[in-house]
Coordinates of all heavy atoms in Angstrom, one line a residue:
F152 N -13.1 10.7 -4.0 CA -11.7 11.0 -4.5 C -11.8 11.0 -6.1 O -10.6 11.3 -6.7 CB -10.7 10.2 -3.9 CG -9.5 10.8 -3.4 CD1 -9.5 11.6 -2.3 CD2 -8.3 10.9 -4.1 CE1 -8.3 12.2 -1.9 CE2 -7.1 11.5 -3.8 CZ -7.2 12.2 -2.6
Y155 N -9.8 13.8 -8.2 CA -8.4 13.8 -8.1 C -7.9 12.7 -8.9 O -6.8 12.9 -9.6 CB -8.0 13.9 -6.7 CG -8.8 14.9 -5.9 CD1 -9.5 14.5 -4.8 CD2 -8.9 16.3 -6.2 CE1 -10.4 15.3 -4.0 CE2 -9.8 17.1 -5.5 CZ -10.5 16.6 -4.4 OH -11.3 17.4 -3.8
V158 N -7.7 13.8 -12.4 CA -6.5 14.6 -12.7 C -5.3 13.7 -12.9 O -4.5 14.0 -13.9 CB -6.2 15.6 -11.6 CG1 -5.0 16.4 -11.9 CG2 -7.4 16.6 -11.6
A159 N -5.0 12.7 -12.1 CA -4.0 11.7 -12.2 C -4.1 11.0 -13.6 O -3.0 10.8 -14.3 CB -4.0 10.7 -11.0
S162 N -3.0 13.2 -16.5 CA -1.5 13.5 -16.5 C -1.0 12.1 -17.2 O 0.0 12.2 -18.0 CB -1.0 13.6 -15.2 OG -1.1 12.5 -14.4
H220 N -6.0 10.9 8.2 CA -6.5 11.2 6.9 C -6.4 10.0 5.9 O -6.8 10.0 4.8 CB -5.4 12.3 6.3 CG -4.0 11.9 6.1 ND1 -3.1 11.6 7.1 CD2 -3.3 11.6 4.9 CE1 -2.0 11.4 6.7 NE2 -2.1 11.2 5.3
D245 N -1.1 5.9 -6.0 CA -2.1 6.6 -5.1 C -2.8 7.6 -6.1 O -2.4 8.0 -7.2 CB -1.4 7.3 -4.1 CG -1.2 6.4 -2.9 OD1 -1.7 5.3 -2.8 OD2 -0.5 6.9 -1.9
S246 N -4.0 7.9 -5.6 CA -4.7 8.9 -6.5 C -4.4 10.4 -6.3 O -4.9 11.2 -7.0 CB -6.2 8.7 -6.3 OG -6.6 7.4 -6.6
D247 N -3.6 10.7 -5.3 CA -3.2 12.0 -5.0 C -1.9 12.5 -5.6 O -0.9 12.9 -4.9 CB -3.2 12.2 -3.5 CG -2.2 11.4 -2.7 OD1 -1.8 10.4 -3.3 OD2 -2.0 11.7 -1.5
L248 N -1.8 12.3 -6.8 CA -0.5 12.5 -7.6 C -0.7 12.9 -9.1 O -1.8 12.6 -9.5 CB 0.5 11.3 -7.5 CG 0.0 9.9 -7.9 CD1 0.0 9.8 -9.4 CD2 1.0 8.9 -7.3
I249 N 0.3 13.3 -9.7 CA 0.3 13.6 -11.1 C 1.6 12.9 -11.8 O 2.6 12.9 -11.0 CB 0.2 15.0 -11.4 CG1 1.3 15.8 -10.8 CG2 -1.2 15.6 -11.2 CD1 1.4 17.3 -11.4
V250 N 1.4 12.5 -12.9 CA 2.5 11.9 -13.6 C 3.0 12.9 -14.7 O 2.2 13.3 -15.5 CB 2.2 10.6 -14.3 CG1 3.3 9.9 -15.1 CG2 1.6 9.6 -13.3
Q304 N 8.3 4.1 0.2 CA 7.1 4.8 0.3 C 6.2 4.1 -0.9 O 6.6 3.8 -1.9 CB 7.2 6.3 -0.2 CG 6.4 7.3 0.3 CD 4.9 7.3 -0.2 OE1 4.7 6.7 -1.2 NE2 4.0 7.8 0.6
V307 N 3.7 4.9 -4.8 CA 4.0 4.4 -6.2 C 4.9 3.2 -6.1 O 5.9 3.2 -5.4 CB 4.9 5.6 -6.9 CG1 5.4 5.1 -8.2 CG2 4.1 6.9 -7.0
N357 N 8.7 9.2 -7.5 CA 7.8 9.3 -6.4 C 8.3 10.6 -5.6 O 8.6 10.5 -4.4 CB 7.7 8.1 -5.5 CG 6.5 8.2 -4.4 OD1 5.9 9.2 -4.4 ND2 6.4 7.2 -3.6
Y358 N 8.4 11.6 -6.2 CA 8.8 12.9 -5.5 C 7.6 13.4 -4.5 O 6.5 13.7 -4.8 CB 8.9 13.9 -6.5 CG 9.2 15.4 -5.8 CD1 10.3 15.7 -5.0 CD2 8.2 16.4 -6.0 CE1 10.4 16.9 -4.4 CE2 8.4 17.6 -5.3 CZ 9.5 17.8 -4.5 OH 9.5 19.0 -3.8
L359 N 8.0 13.3 -3.1 CA 7.1 13.7 -2.2 C 7.1 15.3 -2.0 O 8.1 15.8 -1.8 CB 7.6 13.2 -0.8 CG 7.5 11.7 -0.7 CD1 8.1 11.2 0.6 CD2 6.2 11.0 -1.0
M360 N 6.1 15.8 -2.4 CA 5.9 17.3 -2.4 C 6.5 17.9 -1.2 O 6.3 17.2 -0.1 CB 4.5 17.8 -2.7 CG 3.4 17.2 -1.8 SD 3.0 18.3 -0.5 CE 1.8 19.4 -1.2
D361 N 7.0 19.0 -1.2 CA 7.5 19.7 0.0 C 6.4 20.1 0.9 O 6.0 21.3 0.9 CB 8.4 20.8 -0.4 CG 9.2 21.5 0.8 OD1 9.0 20.8 1.9 OD2 9.7 22.6 0.6
W362 N 5.8 19.2 1.6 CA 4.5 19.4 2.4 C 4.7 20.6 3.3 O 5.6 20.6 4.1 CB 4.2 18.1 3.2 CG 3.2 18.2 4.1 CD1 1.9 18.2 4.0 CD2 3.3 18.3 5.5 NE1 1.2 18.2 5.1 CE2 2.0 18.3 6.1 CE3 4.4 18.3 6.4 CZ2 1.8 18.5 7.4 CZ3 4.2 18.4 7.7 CH2 2.9 18.4 8.3
R366 N 8.7 19.8 4.8 CA 9.2 18.5 4.6 C 10.6 18.6 4.3 O 11.5 17.8 4.8 CB 8.4 17.8 3.6 CG 9.0 16.4 3.2 CD 8.0 15.6 2.4 NE 6.9 14.9 3.0 CZ 5.7 14.7 2.7 NH1 5.3 15.3 1.5 NH2 4.8 14.1 3.4
I391 N 7.0 11.8 -11.2 CA 5.7 11.7 -10.5 C 5.8 12.7 -9.3 O 6.7 12.6 -8.6 CB 5.4 10.2 -10.1 CG1 5.2 9.4 -11.4 CG2 4.1 10.2 -9.2 CD1 5.0 7.9 -11.0
I392 N 4.9 13.4 -9.1 CA 4.8 14.3 -8.1 C 3.5 13.8 -7.2 O 2.4 13.8 -7.6 CB 4.4 15.8 -8.4 CG1 5.5 16.3 -9.3 CG2 4.3 16.7 -7.2 CD1 5.3 17.5 -10.1
H393 N 3.9 13.5 -5.9 CA 3.1 12.8 -5.0 C 2.6 13.8 -4.0 O 3.5 14.3 -3.2 CB 3.7 11.6 -4.4 CG 2.7 10.7 -3.5 ND1 3.1 9.6 -2.9 CD2 1.5 10.9 -3.2 CE1 2.2 9.0 -2.2 NE2 1.1 9.8 -2.4
F394 N 1.3 14.2 -3.8 CA 0.9 15.3 -2.9 C 0.6 14.6 -1.6 O -0.5 14.5 -1.1 CB -0.3 16.0 -3.5 CG 0.1 16.6 -4.8 CD1 -0.4 16.2 -5.9 CD2 0.8 17.8 -4.7 CE1 0.0 16.9 -7.2 CE2 1.2 18.5 -6.0 CZ 0.7 18.0 -7.1
A395 N 1.6 13.9 -1.0 CA 1.3 13.1 0.2 C 1.4 14.0 1.5 O 2.3 14.9 1.6 CB 2.5 12.1 0.4
G396 N 0.4 13.7 2.4 CA 0.4 14.4 3.5 C -1.1 14.7 4.0 O -2.1 14.4 3.3
P397 N -1.4 15.0 5.3 CA -2.7 15.1 5.7 C -3.5 16.3 5.2 O -4.7 16.3 5.4 CB -2.6 15.2 7.2 CG -1.2 15.8 7.5 CD -0.3 15.3 6.3
D398 N -2.8 17.3 4.7 CA -3.5 18.5 4.1 C -2.5 19.2 3.2 O -1.7 18.5 2.6 CB -3.9 19.5 5.3 CG -2.7 19.6 6.2 OD1 -1.6 19.9 5.8 OD2 -2.9 19.5 7.5
N399 N -2.7 20.4 3.0 CA -1.8 21.2 2.0 C -1.9 20.6 0.5 O -0.8 20.6 -0.2 CB -0.3 21.1 2.5 CG 0.5 22.3 1.9 OD1 1.6 21.9 1.7 ND2 0.0 23.4 1.8
R400 N -3.0 19.9 0.3 CA -3.1 19.5 -1.1 C -3.5 20.6 -2.2 O -4.1 21.6 -1.8 CB -4.4 18.5 -1.2 CG -4.5 17.5 -0.1 CD -3.2 16.4 -0.2 NE -3.3 15.3 0.6 CZ -3.9 14.2 0.5 NH1 -4.3 13.9 -0.7 NH2 -3.8 13.2 1.4
P401 N -3.0 20.5 -3.3 CA -3.1 21.5 -4.2 C -4.5 22.0 -4.6 O -4.7 23.1 -5.1 CB -2.3 21.1 -5.4 CG -2.3 19.7 -5.3 CD -2.3 19.4 -3.9
W402 N -5.6 21.1 -4.5 CA -6.8 21.4 -5.0 C -7.4 22.4 -3.7 O -8.5 22.8 -4.1 CB -7.6 20.2 -5.2 CG -7.6 19.1 -4.1 CD1 -8.3 19.0 -3.0 CD2 -6.6 18.1 -4.2 NE1 -7.9 17.8 -2.3 CE2 -6.9 17.3 -3.0 CE3 -5.8 17.6 -5.1 CZ2 -6.3 16.0 -2.7 CZ3 -5.1 16.4 -4.8 CH2 -5.2 15.6 -3.6
Y404 N -5.1 24.2 -1.5 CA -4.0 25.2 -1.2 C -3.2 25.5 -2.5 O -2.2 24.8 -2.7 CB -3.1 24.7 0.0 CG -4.0 24.5 1.2 CD1 -4.5 23.3 1.5 CD2 -4.1 25.6 2.0 CE1 -5.3 23.2 2.7 CE2 -4.8 25.4 3.4 CZ -5.4 24.2 3.6 OH -6.1 24.0 4.8
A407 N 0.6 25.4 -2.5 CA 1.3 24.2 -2.1 C 2.4 23.8 -3.2 O 2.3 24.4 -4.4 CB 0.3 23.0 -2.0
D408 N 3.5 23.1 -2.8 CA 4.5 22.9 -3.7 C 4.0 22.0 -5.0 O 3.2 21.0 -4.7 CB 5.5 22.0 -2.9 CG 6.6 21.4 -3.7 OD1 7.1 22.3 -4.7 OD2 7.2 20.4 -3.5
R409 N 4.2 22.4 -6.1 CA 4.0 21.9 -7.4 C 2.4 22.1 -7.7 O 2.0 21.3 -8.5 CB 4.3 20.5 -7.5 CG 5.8 20.3 -7.1 CD 6.8 21.4 -7.8 NE 8.0 21.3 -7.1 CZ 9.3 20.8 -7.6 NH1 9.2 20.0 -8.8 NH2 10.3 20.8 -6.9
A410 N 1.7 23.0 -6.9 CA 0.3 23.1 -7.3 C 0.0 23.5 -8.7 O -0.9 23.2 -9.3 CB -0.3 24.1 -6.3
D411 N 1.0 24.3 -9.2 CA 0.8 24.7 -10.7 C 0.7 23.4 -11.5 O 0.0 23.6 -12.5 CB 1.9 25.7 -11.0 CG 3.4 25.1 -10.9 OD1 3.5 24.1 -10.0 OD2 4.3 25.4 -11.6
L412 N 1.5 22.5 -11.3 CA 1.4 21.3 -12.2 C 0.2 20.6 -12.0 O -0.5 20.1 -13.0 CB 2.6 20.4 -12.0 CG 3.9 20.8 -12.8 CD1 5.1 19.9 -12.3 CD2 3.7 20.6 -14.3
F413 N -0.4 20.6 -10.8 CA -1.7 19.9 -10.6 C -2.7 20.6 -11.4 O -3.6 19.9 -12.1 CB -2.0 19.9 -9.1 CG -3.4 19.5 -8.9 CD1 -3.7 18.1 -8.7 CD2 -4.5 20.3 -8.8 CE1 -5.0 17.7 -8.5 CE2 -5.8 19.9 -8.5 CZ -6.1 18.5 -8.5
W414 N -2.7 21.9 -11.3 CA -3.7 22.7 -12.0 C -3.5 22.6 -13.6 O -4.6 22.7 -14.3 CB -3.8 24.0 -11.5 CG -4.4 24.1 -10.2 CD1 -3.9 24.2 -8.9 CD2 -5.9 24.0 -9.8 NE1 -4.8 24.2 -7.9 CE2 -6.0 24.2 -8.5 CE3 -7.0 23.9 -10.7 CZ2 -7.4 24.0 -7.9 CZ3 -8.3 23.8 -10.1 CH2 -8.4 24.0 -8.7
Y416 N -2.8 20.0 -15.3 CA -3.6 18.8 -15.7 C -5.1 18.8 -15.3 O -5.9 18.4 -16.1 CB -3.0 17.5 -15.2 CG -1.6 17.1 -15.7 CD1 -0.4 17.5 -14.9 CD2 -1.4 16.9 -17.0 CE1 0.8 17.2 -15.4 CE2 -0.1 16.7 -17.6 CZ 0.9 16.8 -16.7 OH 2.2 16.6 -17.3

Side-chain angles (χ1 to χ4, degrees):
F152 224 76
Y155 319 119
V158 177
S162 70
H220 66 288
D245 277 351
S246 300
D247 59 345
L248 53 73
I249 55 169
V250 180
Q304 217 288 335
V307 176
N357 188 3
Y358 167 67
L359 299 178
M360 56 95 85
D361 186 12
W362 171 78
R366 175 173 274 143
I391 294 177
I392 299 166
H393 188 181
F394 301 107
D398 46 48
N399 200 218
R400 308 297 185 94
W402 49 87
Y404 297 90
D408 182 29
R409 313 306 164 106
D411 56 335
L412 276 173
F413 171 85
W414 286 100
Y416 293 110

